[in-house]
Amino acid sequence: MRSLIALLLIFLFVFPLVSLAATVPIKSVLRLTLNELPTQDRFACYLEFHDYEQNAIFIKFDFTKVKNLIYEAILDETIPKELKKLQDMCLENNRDYWDEMLLENRDEIPELSIKHLFFAVTYNSTTKGCINDIIILDWEIDQAFKHSYSKIYLNSYARFSRLRWVRETVKSITGKDYVYDADTCPAFLSAVRDIGKCGTSGFNFYDTNPKYGAGIDNLCSEFVSWYYYNEGTTFGKKDFKDIRSATTIINLFARVDRKYEYNNITQQFEHLLTKEEYQPQPGDYLWRTNQGHAMIIAGWNEETNIAAVINGPWPVTLRTVEIQKDEVSSDKEYCIGRMNEIVKSKNGKQAYSTRTR
């Protein structure tokens, strides 16, 4: 009996504490800009999230008028029941819920003509350089709830919004305005589509390697290698499956002569043998030796030696990495695994598939 009581105490007290220590949303804002005034100033809508098996999570947002035609709902610790639903989507094997998002009227609101929708999530991550306030959707949707139980599918709007948020945030970090288009590394664009999502899925019925794998160890390497494997690479696609080491990834690049080490004297990434200099491009692999960390380059400023990277999976967000500062002030060292092809321009300088303005 005593052992049973002890076991119950573990489940009741220890696990909630572990949950609180994990990276989860602590605030969320859903804002609607309408084309015309509704018949009431207070109403409720639901964000609906589906996983691959079409299980659903419904999160209720209670709206109040904040300005003319602008209505806002905030989830935080004052609404623990609904906030917990959002936080539960960050638990292991719940990652797939983030992949399909809808706005739903469940017969609780008047007819609405929605001009613009804004959805942002704030995480409690303490990882240095990571951005915790993430805009997932910020777009003109021009759709209406015309009858009871109607739905608006949000994935396409969120995809456009994430790409714009990444571009604007990378510019604020690096000072460069990147043009992400059809020439951009597919693995990078795939990671951008996951911005704001959080957690892992070690198994589903459709793929034995769905999203990064199970457990909490070495997930940064699984996070990066999953996109290289799933979206394809110019070399060794199958080798990027089931990676569980950041070092393993850089070794794959070294094997095909695509590894560049940062030289804090010349302040350039250089090929170890040829000494060829390389300017990192979106989609390239950034490897940090200290405590072994894997990231994806989103932007690079060769004058300040500051990189904007995609970091994940708790959460998938942008992060500032001060390469030169880290190398000279700590035992951190950095290498690039080159995903992008080098094309020589007419003047003999390097050119890349990703453009900047």
Side-chain angles (χ1 to χ4, degrees):
M1 178 61 71
R2 289 181 180 178
S3 61
L4 179 61
I5 293 174
L7 188 61
L8 287 172
L9 288 174
I10 290 174
F11 275 94
L12 290 174
F13 294 103
V14 175
F15 282 106
L17 290 175
V18 171
S19 177
L20 288 174
T23 299
V24 293
I26 56 174
K27 182 180 178 181
S28 178
V29 177
L30 185 60
R31 185 183 307 125
L32 305 178
T33 301
L34 306 182
N35 288 306
E36 56 188 43
L37 287 173
T39 57
Q40 59 196 66
D41 286 340
R42 291 179 177 271
F43 52 85
C45 290
Y46 290 80
L47 277 184
E48 179 181 343
F49 298 88
H50 286 173
D51 67 5
Y52 283 112
E53 283 74 51
Q54 291 303 302
N55 300 307
I57 292 177
F58 301 91
I59 302 176
K60 185 178 181 180
F61 287 82
D62 292 307
F63 289 87
T64 58
K65 185 176 181 179
V66 293
K67 288 183 181 179
N68 186 39
L69 296 177
I70 299 178
Y71 295 78
E72 188 174 83
I74 297 176
L75 287 187
D76 56 21
E77 70 279 357
T78 65
I79 312 175
K81 180 180 178 181
E82 300 304 316
L83 181 63
K84 185 178 183 301
K85 294 178 184 178
L86 192 63
Q87 292 175 339
D88 285 347
M89 288 165 55
C90 302
L91 299 177
E92 186 176 317
N93 283 328
N94 284 353
R95 162 65 179 69
D96 291 343
Y97 279 105
W98 291 98
D99 289 343
E100 186 175 355
M101 182 170 61
L102 306 87
L103 185 69
E104 185 180 35
N105 170 20
R106 303 182 73 184
D107 199 28
E108 296 186 30
I109 65 174
E111 180 175 321
L112 297 179
S113 177
I114 303 173
K115 178 182 180 182
H116 186 277
L117 192 149
F118 174 91
F119 176 51
V121 175
T122 298
Y123 285 92
N124 63 349
S125 171
T126 58
T127 302
K128 179 183 176 182
C130 280
I131 297 176
N132 286 338
D133 296 310
I134 304 171
I135 296 175
I136 294 177
L137 202 159
D138 184 8
W139 209 260
E140 302 279 325
I141 69 170
D142 283 319
Q143 292 204 45
F145 283 139
K146 295 183 179 180
H147 55 79
S148 299
Y149 299 105
S150 55
K151 298 179 180 182
I152 298 174
Y153 290 84
L154 301 177
N155 279 16
S156 60
Y157 304 118
R159 177 175 295 191
F160 298 141
S161 299
R162 287 178 169 114
L163 184 60
R164 183 169 66 184
W165 182 80
V166 166
R167 181 176 173 181
E168 292 174 351
T169 306
V170 168
K171 184 177 180 180
S172 71
I173 294 172
T174 67
K176 289 192 172 184
D177 189 5
Y178 277 85
V179 180
Y180 304 122
D181 55 21
D183 292 328
T184 305
C185 174
F188 169 78
L189 294 176
S190 180
V192 168
R193 291 194 290 270
D194 283 345
I195 288 289
K197 302 176 183 180
C198 188
T200 68
S201 288
F203 172 80
N204 65 36
F205 292 117
Y206 301 95
D207 193 348
T208 56
N209 185 34
K211 284 282 185 183
Y212 325 139
I216 61 174
D217 295 329
N218 302 317
L219 276 169
C220 65
S221 58
E222 292 186 69
F223 168 77
V224 170
S225 63
W226 187 89
Y227 294 103
Y228 290 160
Y229 167 74
N230 198 61
E231 297 300 322
T233 64
T234 55
F235 61 95
K237 174 182 176 180
K238 292 182 179 179
D239 293 331
F240 285 96
K241 183 177 172 65
D242 299 320
I243 296 291
R244 290 180 173 83
S245 166
T247 305
T248 300
I249 300 178
I250 198 64
N251 288 341
L252 291 176
F253 285 97
R255 190 176 69 188
V256 292
D257 215 25
R258 289 171 173 258
K259 178 183 176 182
Y260 297 78
E261 297 183 356
Y262 186 76
N263 184 332
N264 59 42
I265 304 300
T266 64
Q267 298 186 28
Q268 297 285 345
F269 282 96
E270 300 173 353
H271 193 281
L272 185 61
L273 297 178
T274 67
K275 301 303 179 183
E276 177 185 46
E277 295 178 354
Y278 177 71
Q279 302 299 334
Q281 300 298 306
D284 287 338
Y285 174 52
L286 180 64
W287 176 54
R288 189 189 70 208
T289 58
N290 180 280
Q291 297 179 336
H293 190 54
M295 298 161 277
I296 298 175
I297 289 285
W300 168 251
N301 188 318
E302 67 275 12
E303 296 178 356
T304 62
N305 301 302
I306 292 176
V309 303
I310 295 182
N311 196 85
W314 276 308
V316 182
T317 188
L318 287 173
R319 180 180 187 178
T320 301
V321 182
E322 299 178 275
I323 304 289
Q324 176 70 12
K325 182 179 178 181
D326 282 353
E327 287 236 357
V328 299
S329 63
S330 69
D331 59 352
K332 296 176 182 177
E333 295 180 351
Y334 292 91
C335 290
I336 285 289
R338 177 170 59 82
M339 284 291 296
N340 292 275
E341 299 303 317
I342 297 177
V343 180
K344 295 293 183 180
S345 61
K346 292 181 179 179
N347 60 10
K349 294 184 179 180
Q350 290 182 356
Y352 310 98
S353 59
T354 301
R355 297 177 287 118
T356 59
R357 287 180 178 173

